[in-house]
Amino acid sequence: MNVIKESASTETIKVDKSEFDRMLIRAGEIGAQKMLEKIAVFHLTDAAKLLGVSYATLHKRIAAGKIKTVDGRITGAEITRYLNLE
């Protein structure tokens, strides 16, 4: 007895070149925005607002090693990392 397994079908989507170009540009813009958000540095007062905690609580979390600073500031990447841990 021969058994033929069906594989997932591949669908083709046709997109105009101008639409494809717009999609590539938008993808690049989104990637650039995410990169800038990660390398941005924030003063502790601004970082506390972004994290939704008080300035005192932020200092406690820094002292506990839960949040790392660079030259007394917090990077966007560190904020993202911390928010993903909670």
Side-chain angles (χ1 to χ4, degrees), residues 46-66:
D46 296 327
K49 289 176 189 173
L50 287 171
L51 292 167
V53 299
S54 70
Y55 188 77
T57 299
L58 177 60
H59 271 284
K60 288 177 188 175
R61 292 185 182 162
I62 291 169
K66 294 180 179 180

Side-chain angles (χ1 to χ4, degrees), residues 32-49:
Q33 180 65 33
K34 286 184 177 189
M35 185 270 310
L36 288 173
E37 289 170 359
K38 289 187 177 187
I39 65 169
V41 290
F42 299 91
H43 291 280
L44 297 183
T45 52
D46 296 327
K49 289 176 189 173

Side-chain angles (χ1 to χ4, degrees), residues 6-48:
E6 290 185 30
S7 61
S9 65
T10 304
E11 294 184 33
T12 302
I13 299 172
K14 292 185 179 186
V15 179
D16 291 335
K17 183 179 180 335
S18 61
E19 180 65 19
F20 184 67
D21 289 344
R22 282 193 295 275
M23 291 168 62
L24 288 175
I25 290 168
R26 183 66 185 133
E29 290 170 347
I30 291 169
Q33 180 65 33
K34 286 184 177 189
M35 185 270 310
L36 288 173
E37 289 170 359
K38 289 187 177 187
I39 65 169
V41 290
F42 299 91
H43 291 280
L44 297 183
T45 52
D46 296 327

